[in-house]
Amino acid sequence: MKQRLKRIGNKMGMTVVIAAAMFVVMDIAFPVKPDIEYGQLIRAEDGTVLHAFLTSDEQWRMKANLNEITPELKKAIVYKEDKYFYYHPGINVPAIFRAVFNNVIKQKRTSGASTITMQVARMLAPKRRTYFNKVIEMFRAFQLELHYTKDEVLQMYLNLVPYGSNIQGVKAAAILYFNKLPEQLSLSEITALSIIPNRPTTMVLGKNNDRIVKDRNKWLMRFNKDGVFPESNIVDAINEPLNAVRFDAPKAVPQFARRMHTQYPGQPEVYTTIDKRVQSEAEEIVNEYMMALRLKNIHNCAVLIIDNKTREVKTYIGSPDFFDNEHNGQVDGVASPRSPGSTLKPILYAVCADKGIVTPKTIIADVPINMDGYMPENYDLTFRGNVTAEDALKNSLNIPAVKLINETGTDMFIKTLSLGGVSSIWNNRRSFGLSLILGGCTIRLDELTGMYASLANDGVYEPLRWTTDTAKHTGLSRKPVRLFSSSAAYMITSIISDLYRPDLPNLFDNAKDIPKVAWKTGTSYGRKDAWSIGYNKNYTIGVWVGNFDGTGVPELNGAGIATPLLFRIFNTVYKERSQDWLVQPENVGFRYVCKETGRIPEVYCTETVMDYFIPGVSDNRHCDHLKKVCLSPKEDVSYCTNCMPRSGYKVKTYPNISAELTAFYEQQHIPYTKVPEHNPLCSRVFEGVAPYITSLTNNSTYIITDKGKQQLQLQCTAANDVKTVYWYINDKFYKSTAVGERTLFCPETPNVKISCADDKGRNVDIRINVEFI
């Protein structure tokens, strides 16, 4: 007998070893791959679900994380579905024998044998209910138990369990039926959800609530009988009404959600930096504001709010109404490139301040210019003569801005924009010229607002943070980049925070509730885009208003349309109205400068003003707005050192006016003090600025349709001491004119050399091509 038992034991042991070996081989050959696709959830910084996406198979399947599965949910599900879940290896052998006995001997099914693990195996790979497929489920259950913890298996079950229609998983059911997250469910709601999977088609939440309540209460009584939950909790759960209805899936911040969905594909949940309260308040302001604008045929706008300290995006409004198909409401206005108008000017002035080109009181001539054929104009089509840099920026004058970008170089300015995250301009950098600074480019609202946030952060740029998981954020591997010095940033901020400026909205002229912000407006050519970007110490807000289809509107402009919305958002969303302001850096100095030039005063400078400057960087040249001239006794002839007589002359001071300003005064008939004509007997050729031909552009081609009759214009600017200029065509004298006087000539050859000499012997040449048609 002992020998027989020993042989049986050996056979059984051998069988177990062989079975184990076969299982290992099969496990390697056919590994379990629970690759579950989840519909992505976009969540606010407080965890609120903002937006939910369907899976590719059109299912509402949302991943419940382990920390969202409460002990009450675990107990309820395990008690109802698989009491021995934590004790068996994936299959419940006694339950299987009982089920086989009932199915074979009694010819009826009185109880099931599927464990939670086996149900997970079936839901991962659904198949027809056959005995062979049941064996496969058992094998897969063993695999799941081998490779995953019990809690992980339970998590898979709770994420896959059906709840009717296209809803799968506890999390989806909690959100779509109770408008709650799993960890917020009550015991009553947990029990209701635990009984649905057995009959998902006949027990539909929102439709069969009365029937569900009856079954729920039966199970609650069973819980009470077996002491699963405290009796007091059971009583409360039984008395709790079932208020389950089918809610719409969360669809807030649709453009932002789509952006995150694209940026983080396959990630079940994206925890963003969106502040739900601020987002909601900003949306209400935008919706109310846009109701009035629609009467003016203005239908779209976009808003972005950035926390300056963290660079987190707190509000993202891509359009006022995502479902407004008539006006392209699904376009994302935050990420759409548009012409920025004048909004890049503060960035340019900051760059120029760091190069020592300007300080707030630097004088720039706002007069007509011609830069290789490019002749910009101001917004109001007027010119103001000499203006300070701060007035030029506050008034958003175009001529000074074009001069500054020409002096600093478009390549350097584009590089600064690129370092500040403006990729849309860098990618097309070779196609831009001087018009870039006036809106001759396209830029996105998020790029522009991020650049302004750098002004609020002492000139340092950091990529925007869209999610709380900064390690996974695209671009955050980049270190902070200093775009301009803290001194330059502070000087620009002090200029564009001044309230005495033309782009202050009319409604706010005498208002006491104007927010303490620095801001700049912009209006694109054709009045298609209105911008207003503002910041204080804590936040930067970008606003764009217009029409996504590019329709221009006469009333559309940054000051009158975009800025009122900017101010409302600042005043409403951030009610505390903090008086904290940007602190003046230690390396910003003060000095007195001459009011006429913005330079260090000389002894003859009678009017001085206080000005910011950057020690060791800002221009240290002395003022030269006056010059001494030697005159004849009658003051009708001026002398130079070459022709000045030994005696019998007098010295007098005259304004040192530039050639371009002289030409402007002449064209506008503005009186100014002129230097008398130079001694006609003097043979000296003077150094200095040669005449500048303004009517024609060097190396340009001009089309003539009527040879011999059609004429081209000749005009130039010259220095203040020049009275007469002499024109030469192909090195042959043509005629003499006064400075600024217009004259015409008929080109006769395809290649024309044009020369202009002043009465001081200074000369300039240009060449043009003529195409005769």
Side-chain angles (χ1 to χ4, degrees):
M1 177 63 73
K2 290 182 180 181
Q3 291 294 329
R4 185 178 180 184
L5 290 174
K6 185 176 181 180
R7 285 196 301 270
I8 293 174
N10 291 336
K11 289 181 179 179
M12 291 180 63
M14 185 64 67
T15 301
V16 170
V17 171
I18 294 173
M22 290 181 62
F23 174 78
V24 171
V25 172
M26 294 288 287
D27 181 54
I28 296 173
F30 303 100
V32 62
K33 297 179 179 180
D35 186 15
I36 305 172
E37 181 193 1
Y38 296 103
Q40 191 176 71
L41 295 182
I42 308 299
R43 304 182 75 162
E45 64 176 355
D46 64 355
T48 304
V49 177
L50 296 172
H51 201 102
F53 289 93
L54 286 163
T55 60
S56 60
D57 58 351
E58 301 293 317
Q59 298 294 311
W60 290 115
R61 188 187 306 117
M62 306 170 189
K63 184 177 181 179
N65 299 305
L66 290 173
N67 60 351
E68 295 177 302
I69 302 173
T70 63
E72 291 79 10
L73 180 58
K74 287 183 182 180
K75 287 182 181 180
I77 293 297
V78 170
Y79 180 86
K80 183 180 178 302
E81 291 294 325
D82 187 358
K83 293 181 182 179
Y84 302 101
F85 173 69
Y86 286 104
Y87 305 101
H88 60 63
I91 64 172
N92 188 336
V93 177
I96 292 175
F97 282 117
R98 183 178 65 249
V100 170
F101 177 80
N102 289 334
N103 290 341
V104 176
I105 304 301
K106 296 185 177 180
Q107 295 295 310
K108 62 179 181 179
R109 184 169 179 244
T110 59
S111 62
S114 292
T115 62
I116 286 178
T117 313
M118 291 173 64
Q119 292 182 61
V120 170
R122 183 170 63 249
M123 289 186 287
L124 286 173
K127 296 181 177 65
R128 290 180 56 192
R129 288 179 177 256
T130 63
Y131 288 111
F132 177 74
N133 288 337
K134 182 64 70 173
V135 172
I136 294 177
E137 284 180 20
M138 294 180 186
F139 170 70
R140 291 299 189 189
F142 280 126
Q143 285 184 297
L144 288 170
E145 294 280 347
L146 176 65
H147 296 288
Y148 297 94
T149 66
K150 287 289 185 178
D151 282 346
E152 289 173 334
V153 172
L154 182 60
Q155 179 188 19
M156 283 186 258
Y157 172 82
L158 292 173
N159 287 330
L160 293 169
V161 64
Y163 282 95
S165 184
N166 63 339
I167 300 175
Q168 294 184 11
V170 168
K171 190 167 188 173
I175 291 173
L176 297 177
Y177 286 128
F178 295 106
N179 198 26
K180 295 181 178 180
L181 293 171
E183 65 267 29
Q184 298 169 332
L185 294 172
S186 67
L187 178 58
S188 172
E189 293 163 341
I190 288 172
T191 307
L193 288 178
S194 69
I195 64 177
I196 303 299
N198 299 116
R199 289 172 288 174
T201 57
T202 59
M203 303 279 277
V204 180
L205 285 164
K207 292 183 178 180
N208 311 114
N209 283 3
D210 292 340
R211 189 187 309 170
I212 293 172
V213 167
K214 292 180 180 179
D215 274 28
R216 178 201 70 181
N217 292 345
K218 289 180 181 178
W219 277 100
L220 285 170
M221 295 304 295
R222 292 182 185 178
F223 293 160
N224 185 48
K225 181 180 179 181
D226 290 349
V228 180
F229 299 104
E231 185 175 357
S232 60
N233 293 358
I234 298 292
V235 172
D236 291 340
I238 291 175
N239 293 328
E240 182 181 319
L242 182 62
N243 297 319
V245 296
R246 176 64 186 267
F247 289 91
D248 291 331
K251 293 295 179 185
V253 290
Q255 284 96 342
F256 175 73
R258 288 187 172 190
R259 183 169 181 166
M260 295 297 100
H261 189 57
T262 302
Q263 190 166 323
Y264 299 95
Q267 187 168 315
E269 293 184 309
V270 179
Y271 284 84
T272 73
T273 58
I274 294 295
D275 185 320
K276 186 180 179 183
R277 178 192 67 83
V278 174
Q279 176 77 29
S280 178
E281 290 185 2
E283 287 177 352
E284 288 183 13
I285 296 170
V286 167
N287 291 334
E288 179 183 349
Y289 189 76
M290 291 304 297
M291 289 177 64
L293 291 188
R294 290 188 180 99
L295 300 176
K296 299 179 181 180
N297 196 33
I298 302 172
H299 300 280
N300 303 116
C301 82
V303 175
L304 190 74
I305 300 179
I306 300 171
D307 185 317
N308 293 334
K309 296 178 181 178
T310 63
R311 288 303 191 280
E312 294 178 348
V313 173
K314 295 302 180 184
T315 294
Y316 190 113
I317 301 176
S319 70
D321 183 1
F322 182 80
F323 300 100
D324 182 7
N325 294 326
E326 182 180 356
H327 301 105
N328 307 294
Q330 295 186 12
V331 172
D332 186 354
V334 173
S336 298
R338 311 286 299 193
S339 170
S342 297
T343 53
L344 292 177
K345 289 176 182 175
I347 310 302
L348 172 64
Y349 277 74
V351 171
C352 289
D354 273 333
K355 291 191 70 176
I357 298 173
V358 296
T359 61
K361 299 299 182 182
T362 298
I363 296 298
I364 306 173
D366 177 33
V367 296
I369 57 175
N370 183 330
M371 294 186 172
D372 294 330
Y374 178 52
M375 295 180 287
E377 296 178 324
N378 288 321
Y379 184 76
D380 57 5
L381 303 180
T382 63
F383 303 94
R384 293 161 176 78
N386 279 343
V387 296
T388 62
E390 62 180 359
D391 285 340
L393 180 54
K394 285 191 290 186
N395 288 274
S396 196
L397 300 181
N398 292 339
I399 307 302
V402 171
K403 287 183 174 182
L404 291 177
I405 195 172
N406 182 61
E407 185 170 357
T408 194
T410 54
D411 289 343
M412 179 177 181
F413 184 60
I414 290 174
K415 183 178 180 181
T416 300
L417 295 178
S418 175
L419 291 173
V422 185
S423 59
S424 54
I425 288 180
W426 176 258
N427 295 337
N428 301 297
R429 58 191 178 279
R430 299 187 183 280
S431 62
F432 295 119
L434 299 178
S435 63
L436 165 69
I437 194 57
L438 305 185
C441 61
T442 57
I443 192 171
R444 304 198 313 253
L445 180 61
D446 54 348
E447 294 174 333
L448 189 57
T449 309
M451 286 288 292
Y452 273 72
S454 302
L455 286 171
N457 195 38
D458 295 330
V460 176
Y461 169 78
E462 291 184 48
L464 300 183
R465 288 176 168 81
W466 308 95
T467 67
T468 56
D469 187 1
T470 56
K472 292 184 179 180
H473 185 280
T474 302
L476 283 183
S477 57
R478 289 180 55 184
K479 296 180 179 179
V481 178
R482 178 164 292 283
L483 301 181
F484 18 79
S485 68
S486 58
S487 303
Y490 182 80
M491 285 195 289
I492 300 308
T493 298
S494 67
I495 294 173
I496 61 176
S497 59
D498 191 353
L499 297 181
Y500 296 98
R501 50 197 282 188
D503 61 349
L504 182 71
N506 293 331
L507 295 177
F508 287 87
D509 276 346
N510 300 306
K512 295 181 180 180
D513 60 344
I514 297 176
K516 178 64 174 176
V517 296
W519 84 97
K520 182 69 182 74
T521 62
T523 306
S524 68
Y525 179 78
R527 295 179 180 267
K528 299 177 180 180
D529 307 275
W531 302 79
S532 191
I533 318 293
Y535 60 90
N536 58 21
K537 184 176 181 179
N538 300 313
Y539 299 96
T540 299
I541 300 178
V543 171
W544 171 88
V545 181
N547 292 306
F548 287 143
D549 62 4
T551 301
V553 179
E555 297 85 358
L556 188 65
N557 62 80
I561 298 297
T563 301
L565 178 56
L566 175 76
F567 285 1
R568 287 191 190 185
I569 294 173
F570 263 115
N571 285 335
T572 303
V573 172
Y574 303 106
K575 301 181 182 68
E576 68 276 6
R577 295 179 59 80
S578 173
Q579 296 302 309
D580 291 342
W581 191 238
L582 304 178
V583 178
Q584 179 180 327
E586 294 181 358
N587 55 347
V588 172
F590 291 98
R591 67 182 180 186
Y592 282 102
V593 296
C594 178
K595 185 178 179 181
E596 297 294 330
T597 60
R599 296 178 181 173
I600 297 174
E602 281 287 3
V603 292
Y604 51 72
C605 297
T606 58
E607 293 186 80
T608 58
V609 293
M610 186 70 75
D611 190 19
Y612 290 119
F613 79 108
I614 306 175
V617 175
S618 297
D619 186 2
N620 281 325
R621 287 181 295 173
H622 285 248
C623 177
D624 60 354
H625 82 278
L626 294 178
K627 63 180 180 179
K628 292 182 178 181
V629 180
C630 296
L631 304 175
S632 64
K634 295 182 180 180
E635 298 185 5
D636 58 347
V637 174
S638 62
Y639 301 114
C640 65
T641 55
N642 187 59
C643 63
M644 184 176 63
R646 292 184 178 180
S647 61
Y649 66 90
K650 60 174 63 174
V651 178
K652 190 174 181 179
T653 301
Y654 283 86
N656 189 13
I657 305 175
S658 65
E660 61 178 3
L661 195 59
T662 300
F664 172 68
Y665 287 159
E666 292 287 347
Q667 293 170 5
Q668 300 296 318
H669 304 290
I670 298 174
Y672 66 99
T673 304
K674 301 180 182 180
V675 176
E677 180 183 5
H678 186 65
N679 181 9
L681 301 178
C682 181
S683 60
R684 177 184 176 184
V685 176
F686 287 80
E687 296 181 356
V689 180
Y692 182 78
I693 299 174
T694 59
S695 57
L696 298 171
T697 303
N698 191 34
N699 295 323
S700 294
T701 299
Y702 296 86
I703 297 176
I704 299 296
T705 58
D706 192 354
K707 185 177 182 180
K709 294 183 178 180
Q710 187 173 342
Q711 298 178 310
L712 296 179
Q713 179 177 284
L714 297 175
Q715 188 180 20
C716 73
T717 62
N720 185 29
D721 57 350
V722 175
K723 304 301 178 184
T724 305
V725 294
Y726 305 91
W727 294 98
Y728 296 81
I729 307 297
N730 289 329
D731 296 325
K732 293 182 180 181
F733 177 73
Y734 178 63
K735 68 186 306 185
S736 63
T737 65
V739 175
E741 180 183 344
R742 296 180 177 90
T743 188
L744 301 171
F745 82 101
C746 286
E748 298 178 354
T749 60
N751 301 310
V752 182
K753 176 183 177 183
I754 300 172
S755 304
C756 181
D758 63 20
D759 54 17
K760 301 296 183 293
R762 295 168 295 211
N763 180 76
V764 65
D765 299 325
I766 66 169
R767 286 175 169 78
I768 64 171
N769 301 314
V770 178
E771 184 176 339
F772 298 100
I773 298 178

